[in-house]
Amino acid sequence: MGNADYVYPSTNEYRQCAHPVAVPPPQPFFKSFKNSLKETFFPDDPLRQFKNKTPSRKFFLGLQYFLPILEWGPRYTFQFLKSDLISGITIASLAIPQGISYAKLANLPPILGLYSSFIPPLIYAMMGSSRDLAVGTVAVASLLIGSMLGDEVNATENPTLYLHLAFTATFFAGLLQASLGLLRVGFIVDFLSHATIVGFMGGAATVVILQQLKGVLGLQHFTQSTDISPSCALCFPRFMSGRESGVLGAVFLFFLLLSRYFSKRRPKFFWISAMAPLTTVILGSLLVYLTHAEKHGVDVIGNLKKGLNPPSFGDFVFTSPYLTTAVKTGMITGIIALAEGIAVGRSFAMFKHYNIDGNKEMVAIGTMNIVGSCFSCYLTTGPFSRSAVNFNAGCKTAMSNVVMAIAVMFTLLFLTPLFHYTPLVVLSAIIISAMLGLIDYEAAIHLWKVDKFDFVVCMGAYIGVVFASVEVGLVIAVAISVLRLLLFVARPKTFVLGNLPNSTIYRSVEQYPTTNDVPGILILQIDAPIYFANSSYLRERISRWIDEEEDKLKSTGETSLQYVIFNMSAVGNIDTSGISMLEEVKKITDRRGLKLVLANPGAEVMKKLNKSKFIETIGKEWIYLTVGEAVEACNYKLHTCKPDATNEDSQPWNNV
């Protein structure tokens, strides 16, 4: 990098081009505190719609806020109904077999999968803000419930207690979800990053697939563990002994995968993939009924009792030692289900160019789980596969959930005996087919290409789930994500700026190798707020930058270092530890005969520097609006007087 050719302004010229850095006017503490709280908990300003409205209008708007059906319901048309009717029937054909399958995955009675596809969708249709979310049970949450409750209670030996614990866990999950929405602290869910969810979902899908080998191979006794080793150890020695079930499972799985592949290649035929699970249930049931295959080792569902959801609010378990297990299970599964539901809802809202309220979604999902737990339902949310079918089927509003619930209601009232001969291997094939879609290897490859650390987070979650447990994998992924966040805060980027040729623009010398050095001046940019967590690091790093710059100038014989300019445009805030760090750096530069200069400090930074008297310490004449003005001032000073001059006559810019 060569030295720039500078034309130094005269005193009068410089006074005209320089701009003062203002200290924002003081604000009352409570007003400032109120604004901070508002930005933290009410960034969407939900009360804006109530301004200048009559009391009756405010009451109705409040009802609309908590019950969005009152907003879109009056505008509902027959055209919308036709679209929602087709969508609802389509997702019902997927929800019925998946509901039965996922209930078995959670070690719960299959009928609970149908119960959970009846009441929760009705609640969500009234309270949810997404037009495309199709509510129902999900595989990962079902696996978590089966794993965490199974560690405490054996579902086979004590089915009643296990069932009651599942209702209790669902109640606490809903309570947590609704509370997060009402308290508007849903940003906690954001700690589950995209990389975390990709790895976690992929690992959980792998475990679920291995668990379903129980149904494919017709095993009567299977491990409750969710890691890979026991599943493999039990399955592979029995592979040949389950030939009948294995062949049947392989045929149905091939059919499901083929239909999904065809629908993916031909999006207009999405309904083929959506109808495939119900088709396999019908064909499997007919095959077993006609061939009496249950007498030859093919297990079937058996009797499913007819009727709508029985009440279960009297079955909650609030006694030790089971209460702790129910609360822990509810909190973990509730957060996972919430993250999935909101992520899916936002994804499809983006496609249709509308917004959903995250806090409102939390209240809706939480309420449907609280109500559902009182009527024999277990945890539900908005699964991606079902919502994708709903989206592709052309749904217009949440009424498609109502249509699906009505279809499930008719199934509960009249059609449950038809599932008696449904082979378990068909349910396993349905689950395996759905889980293969959750192993998103393309997303993992993309993470590797874009951000290696995100890839590590993803693989940490995947490996933890597969080789330890679902809980361990989740903890590993969140821990790595939080560690990365702490590293961003504790080790912010600092870099040297140079001058782009023939301009007054200053950019990183690493990003722009053609930039020119500014003789006698070191320009540093701090790329993060300055807090207690990074103040010590920044002090050491700045000292090292100064040492390196002085060594470089000595080796080349160029002008010695005279000024150190901090570009603080990216420093959004500073605390007392950060101010102490600046004071220490000021002392270090003074001892070395250097002058510290600040450029472009923000309003919050200037306010705190002013209150701490640091502006008086450094001198108002050494704070500039831009790096360009700071460089011009330093260059003028270098060519008119010594850098340590302090009298006013020798400092032409001291009135800036």
Side-chain angles (χ1 to χ4, degrees):
M1 293 182 294
N3 292 333
D5 294 326
Y6 290 95
V7 177
Y8 306 109
S10 66
T11 301
N12 291 331
E13 287 175 337
Y14 185 75
R15 284 175 175 168
Q16 291 175 0
C17 70
H19 300 86
V21 179
V23 177
Q27 285 188 344
F29 170 76
F30 287 105
K31 182 179 180 181
S32 177
F33 183 69
K34 176 184 174 182
N35 291 337
S36 297
L37 284 180
K38 181 179 179 181
E39 288 303 313
T40 302
F41 297 104
F42 301 94
D44 55 339
D45 193 13
L47 301 179
R48 182 180 62 240
Q49 59 180 327
F50 296 97
K51 291 180 181 178
N52 304 320
K53 297 292 192 299
T54 62
S56 59
R57 182 59 181 168
K58 288 180 180 179
F59 176 76
F60 186 70
L61 289 174
L63 284 179
Q64 283 186 335
Y65 182 81
F66 288 102
L67 297 172
I69 192 172
L70 296 177
E71 183 179 351
W72 56 263
R75 302 194 304 268
Y76 200 72
T77 64
F78 183 71
Q79 289 297 117
F80 285 177
L81 179 61
K82 289 196 296 184
S83 299
D84 289 339
L85 191 63
I86 295 172
S87 302
I89 294 173
T90 305
I91 57 176
S93 67
L94 184 62
I96 292 170
Q98 277 191 350
I100 295 172
S101 304
Y102 293 160
K104 291 290 291 182
L105 182 61
N107 298 319
L108 294 168
I111 193 67
L112 256 69
L114 297 181
Y115 290 160
S116 302
S117 299
F118 172 46
I119 287 182
L122 294 176
I123 303 296
Y124 183 82
M126 293 187 292
M127 302 186 66
S129 59
S130 172
R131 305 170 194 167
D132 304 282
L133 206 67
V135 171
T137 56
V138 288
V140 175
S142 301
L143 175 68
L144 274 170
I145 289 174
S147 169
M148 298 181 72
L149 295 183
D151 291 340
E152 186 71 26
V153 177
N154 189 298
T156 304
E157 297 174 359
N158 200 341
T160 302
L161 177 59
Y162 183 90
L163 180 63
H164 293 175
L165 281 177
F167 295 149
T168 310
T170 302
F171 173 78
F172 281 112
L175 199 62
L176 173 68
Q177 293 167 337
S179 300
L180 290 177
L182 290 172
L183 298 175
R184 305 186 70 82
V185 291
F187 55 80
I188 294 174
V189 177
D190 294 336
F191 279 97
L192 293 175
S193 64
H194 173 68
T196 301
I197 293 176
V198 169
F200 178 77
M201 291 293 187
T206 302
V207 171
V208 169
I209 290 170
L210 288 171
Q211 287 280 322
Q212 292 316 297
L213 293 176
K214 169 187 176 181
V216 173
L217 300 179
L219 300 180
Q220 297 297 325
H221 303 286
F222 202 70
T223 177
Q224 295 295 322
S225 176
T226 57
D227 64 302
I228 192 171
S229 303
S231 302
C232 293
L234 281 170
C235 291
F236 287 113
R238 293 290 306 275
F239 183 75
M240 293 306 295
S241 63
R243 284 175 294 180
E244 295 85 356
S245 295
V247 170
L248 194 61
V251 170
F252 283 124
L253 181 59
F254 176 77
F255 170 72
L256 290 168
L257 294 178
L258 183 65
S259 63
R260 191 174 70 181
Y261 175 79
F262 180 77
S263 295
K264 197 172 182 179
R265 295 293 298 271
R266 302 287 183 86
K268 291 183 178 180
F269 295 95
F270 70 91
W271 54 270
I272 293 178
S273 177
M275 298 293 292
L278 187 60
T279 304
T280 58
V281 168
I282 295 172
L283 293 177
S285 301
L286 286 174
L287 184 63
V288 170
Y289 177 76
L290 296 175
T291 62
H292 304 287
E294 75 275 12
K295 297 180 181 179
H296 302 285
V298 177
D299 295 325
V300 297
I301 290 178
N303 290 322
L304 293 179
K305 62 178 182 179
K306 295 169 63 175
L308 301 180
N309 304 36
S312 58
F313 44 80
D315 298 333
F316 295 148
V317 180
F318 296 127
T319 57
S320 298
Y322 304 113
L323 179 60
T324 304
T325 301
V327 171
K328 184 177 76 169
T329 303
M331 292 184 70
I332 293 177
T333 56
I335 290 292
I336 294 297
L338 201 58
E340 181 177 359
I342 292 177
V344 171
R346 284 175 176 169
S347 298
F348 289 111
M350 181 180 65
F351 286 130
K352 287 189 176 179
H353 310 293
Y354 69 93
N355 295 318
I356 66 170
D357 187 328
N359 290 293
K360 194 183 298 184
E361 285 295 284
M362 293 176 197
V363 174
I365 294 174
T367 303
M368 76 183 188
N369 279 313
I370 292 173
V371 175
S373 67
C374 297
F375 292 94
S376 301
C377 303
Y378 80 102
L379 192 66
T380 54
T381 186
F384 179 80
S385 58
R386 213 171 300 173
S387 300
V389 170
N390 196 32
F391 175 83
N392 289 325
C395 69
K396 298 298 182 183
T397 67
M399 185 61 71
S400 60
N401 280 289
V402 176
V403 175
M404 178 188 71
I406 293 173
V408 173
M409 180 188 71
F410 277 105
T411 302
L412 287 168
L413 290 174
F414 306 111
L415 304 179
T416 49
L418 299 180
F419 293 98
H420 177 91
Y421 291 101
T422 301
L424 295 182
V425 66
V426 168
L427 303 184
S428 297
I430 291 172
I431 293 175
I432 292 173
S433 173
M435 291 302 97
L436 287 173
L438 291 181
I439 304 177
D440 196 351
Y441 63 90
E442 292 180 350
I445 294 172
H446 179 72
L447 291 174
W448 171 260
K449 291 179 179 178
V450 175
D451 192 323
K452 302 295 189 294
F453 203 108
D454 269 349
F455 179 78
V456 171
V457 172
C458 175
M459 294 310 298
Y462 181 85
I463 293 171
V465 170
V466 171
F467 291 99
S469 67
V470 175
E471 301 96 300
V472 170
L474 184 61
V475 169
I476 289 174
V478 173
I480 296 175
S481 297
V482 172
L483 175 62
R484 185 185 195 186
L485 181 63
L486 293 176
L487 286 175
F488 278 148
V489 174
R491 295 294 183 268
K493 295 290 185 181
T494 59
F495 41 86
V496 176
L497 301 183
N499 177 246
L500 290 177
N502 303 316
S503 75
T504 58
I505 300 172
Y506 295 82
R507 292 293 183 266
S508 168
V509 297
E510 290 186 2
Q511 185 178 2
Y512 298 91
T514 58
T515 54
N516 297 314
D517 288 335
V518 183
I521 302 174
L522 174 63
I523 310 170
L524 298 176
Q525 176 157 326
I526 302 172
D527 212 19
I530 304 176
Y531 294 129
F532 66 93
N534 60 27
S535 58
S536 296
Y537 166 77
L538 286 173
R539 183 183 61 249
E540 299 298 329
R541 189 68 186 93
I542 290 167
S543 298
R544 189 146 48 95
W545 277 121
I546 295 173
D547 291 338
E548 292 171 358
E549 183 69 13
E550 288 185 329
D551 292 342
K552 185 182 76 171
L553 293 176
K554 286 178 182 178
S555 64
T556 58
E558 297 179 9
T559 305
S560 62
L561 185 62
Q562 301 291 338
Y563 295 93
V564 178
I565 299 175
F566 286 171
N567 179 15
M568 303 186 72
S569 57
V571 181
N573 210 330
I574 190 170
D575 66 359
T576 54
S577 298
I579 295 171
S580 298
M581 183 275 292
L582 290 179
E583 291 172 346
E584 292 178 28
V585 172
K586 172 80 168 55
K587 293 176 182 177
I588 292 172
T589 54
D590 287 346
R591 285 197 300 268
R592 295 189 179 199
L594 307 175
K595 198 66 183 178
L596 181 63
V597 184
L598 303 184
N600 196 21
E604 194 68 24
V605 174
M606 281 296 289
K607 182 169 64 175
K608 292 184 178 179
L609 294 182
N610 183 54
K611 289 181 178 179
S612 66
K613 308 299 183 183
F614 182 77
I615 293 180
E616 295 179 10
T617 302
I618 191 175
K620 187 183 294 183
E621 66 273 13
W622 297 108
I623 303 176
Y624 293 90
L625 191 61
T626 66
V627 175
E629 290 186 357
V631 169
E632 288 181 5
C634 293
N635 272 310
Y636 179 84
K637 183 70 173 177
L638 277 171
H639 290 80
T640 56
C641 56
K642 295 180 181 179
D644 59 350
T646 56
N647 65 75
E648 290 189 1
D649 293 335
S650 64
Q651 295 177 7
W653 57 93
N654 61 1
N655 293 320
V656 174

